[in-house]
Amino acid sequence: MARRRATDPERRAGVLLVNPGGPGDSGVDFAVRRAPAQFSAEIQAKFDIIGFDPRGVGASQPVRCSTELLDRRPSVYPRNQAEFERLAAYNRALREDCRRHSGPVFDHADTLSVVRDMDALRRALGEKKINYFGHSYGTLIGQQYAEEYGDRIRTMALTANLDHSIGVREFLVSSAATAEDSFHQFVTWCDRTDSCALHGRDVAAVWDGLLARADRGEIRDPESTEEVLTAYDIALAAFKRLYGPDWSELATYVARLDAQEPGRQEPGRQEAKEPPQETTAEPFHAVFCQDWRFRPKDYREYARLTAAELRAAPHMRGSPRVHTAVAGCVGLPDEVNNPQHALRITEAPGILLLHSMHDPANPFSWAADVHRQTRRTTVLLPYEGAGHSVYGRTDCTRDAVDDYLTELEIPSPGSRCAPGPLS
């Protein structure tokens, strides 16, 4: 763990534990390197910002797996039962490999265990109550801490919330739908913005044509022409740029790939590659597959789920990262440490939920459902703009969080934040 001490000790309001999400992002790195740019001067003045690496992550006995085995991951889009069984067998082999390299922590990297660790940190810090800021997957830590230890919370602000009560079909389809919505937000921006590299063109048609060419193996990575890009590779790269949203960068990326001529490739940089390490830190599925009972049983079920994703997101072809997350649980044991359930928060003070209405990764419906389950203890503040990170988007979003954490002033029900300038 790491502590960034309050810059004005005389006005110190306590500790602010933070988790930036993932699962797998380092809270220590967040506190040490990113907190000054993330949080306002007022937050930094009044709180000791405490970052911690959850079990299995970063410096906290990280989950590690064989690099060579990770590089042999089969397609997450099996085309028949035999390929589905190959994916399941691979996942089981990887699980045993990671357990061997990581030790007992692999089987106990679930979020409920992290919640108990976080309360141990509270005791170690000598604090009767904590403040907490959690983003994305970090909201699940906050939600479950509020269930288990609600009376030990002073304030809790959760941005880009997960809904830990839904089944696999809703998880996949809602994630696909919000990725598709963000794609259409990008298209609309490009249509009205002269500086967009695709302005004046049918952006959706260009995009669909690019993915079709990738399906035929015709698109190569501009940075390394030895590598052929799949449609999945391109969709994932676009998905990451929707987080910001970095729409100008996304338009330039798509235009550059679309400009490639068949049979002719621009020269790419050939960077010297370091020898691969024997193991690689890989905590994502150790956490995810213990938090969610997502276990498609056979190819027919898996194919139905994939088809539902595609119907919800015909341009983005689903949500690339979420599809891969669920695929990584295929073939694993049914029993999990922290299965999804409806939230029951009984002792916590008012909790602030902040969520973008056009989040590419976590649908607004997830935050709305969390609020529905916890209406007596949460206030939901919608940000009417785009992007995944929402706290620093506008004065409205930043002030809402700052006033709540520092002065215990929570927005009134029904409040909203208008969209800010986009990239």
Side-chain angles (χ1 to χ4, degrees), residues 77 173 176 180 303 305-318:
Y77 294 94
V173 171
E180 185 79 357
L305 292 170
T306 301
E309 282 184 88
L310 295 178
R311 287 193 297 271
H315 294 294
M316 287 297 291
R317 300 190 182 183

Side-chain angles (χ1 to χ4, degrees), residues 59-394:
S60 294
Q61 184 64 32
V63 168
R64 302 193 67 86
C65 311
S66 166
T67 302
E68 185 272 335
L69 186 56
L70 288 169
D71 290 342
R72 289 195 283 113
R73 189 186 303 274
S75 172
V76 295
Y77 294 94
R79 296 167 295 182
N80 49 49
Q81 181 63 27
E83 292 187 2
F84 177 86
E85 291 173 359
R86 190 173 306 129
L87 175 62
Y90 171 84
N91 287 341
R92 289 190 291 267
L94 181 63
R95 176 175 180 266
E96 292 308 310
D97 175 89
C98 300
R99 292 176 79 191
R100 184 171 65 255
H101 287 294
S102 308
V105 70
F106 182 87
D107 292 323
H108 304 279
D110 58 280
T111 294
L112 188 57
S113 295
V114 172
V115 161
R116 294 167 183 144
D117 292 342
M118 195 163 82
D119 198 58
L121 290 178
R122 177 195 62 79
R123 295 193 304 272
L125 290 164
E127 301 286 338
K128 291 183 178 180
K129 294 190 177 186
I130 63 166
N131 304 274
Y132 179 77
F133 179 92
H135 175 66
S136 196
Y137 212 85
T139 66
L140 184 55
I141 298 174
Q143 292 167 17
Q144 294 200 266
Y145 187 89
E147 278 190 307
E148 298 290 320
Y149 308 107
D151 61 338
R152 300 168 195 179
I153 298 169
R154 176 181 173 271
T155 61
M156 178 173 286
L158 306 177
T159 65
N161 280 261
L162 269 71
D163 180 4
H164 195 232
S165 70
I166 58 179
V168 63
R169 182 183 178 88
E170 185 178 354
F171 189 81
L172 286 166
V173 171
S174 60
S175 297
T178 205
E180 185 79 357
D181 169 72
S182 288
F183 174 80
H184 286 293
Q185 293 288 312
F186 161 66
V187 171
T188 299
W189 171 84
C190 204
D191 287 344
R192 67 171 187 247
T193 306
D194 291 344
S195 62
C196 173
L198 299 170
H199 183 68
R201 303 177 67 182
D202 185 335
V203 177
V206 171
W207 171 261
D208 291 342
L210 177 62
L211 295 193
R213 290 171 61 193
D215 288 336
R216 297 192 294 269
E218 298 175 1
I219 304 297
R220 294 183 180 274
D221 184 348
E223 302 302 322
S224 175
T225 56
E226 298 298 315
E227 182 180 352
V228 175
L229 294 178
T230 66
Y232 173 86
D233 295 330
I234 296 170
L236 181 60
F239 179 72
K240 292 177 179 178
R241 288 168 170 86
L242 293 173
Y243 266 48
D246 300 316
W247 287 344
S248 181
E249 182 180 321
L250 173 57
T252 300
Y253 173 76
V254 172
R256 187 180 183 189
L257 294 183
D258 181 63
Q260 290 186 12
E261 297 181 19
R264 294 182 59 190
Q265 306 297 338
E266 55 186 294
R269 295 197 304 267
Q270 301 299 321
E271 298 181 357
K273 296 183 178 179
E274 296 182 2
Q277 296 184 341
E278 180 183 352
T279 62
T280 300
E282 188 72 13
F284 185 93
H285 281 103
V287 180
F288 183 85
C289 296
Q290 283 296 322
D291 280 341
W292 306 85
R293 189 180 280 133
F294 293 163
R295 305 292 192 269
K297 296 301 181 186
D298 54 31
Y299 172 71
R300 291 181 63 184
E301 180 185 359
Y302 195 87
R304 286 195 298 268
L305 292 170
T306 301
E309 282 184 88
L310 295 178
R311 287 193 297 271
H315 294 294
M316 287 297 291
R317 300 190 182 183
S319 175
R321 194 175 187 214
V322 166
H323 182 94
T324 302
V326 173
C329 302
V330 167
L332 300 186
D334 287 340
E335 293 303 313
V336 302
N337 294 344
N338 184 32
Q340 58 266 39
H341 62 279
L343 271 174
R344 292 186 69 254
I345 300 175
T346 58
E347 297 183 275
I351 293 171
L352 175 60
L353 311 177
L354 186 61
H355 205 109
S356 168
M357 296 189 71
H358 301 287
D359 187 320
N362 297 358
F364 183 79
S365 61
W366 289 2
D369 200 35
V370 169
H371 178 49
R372 180 190 59 78
Q373 296 168 50
T374 60
R375 194 169 296 276
R376 294 182 179 179
T377 55
T378 60
V379 169
L380 173 59
L381 179 64
Y383 168 63
E384 295 175 326
H388 188 53
S389 296
V390 60
Y391 161 65
R393 294 298 303 175
T394 67

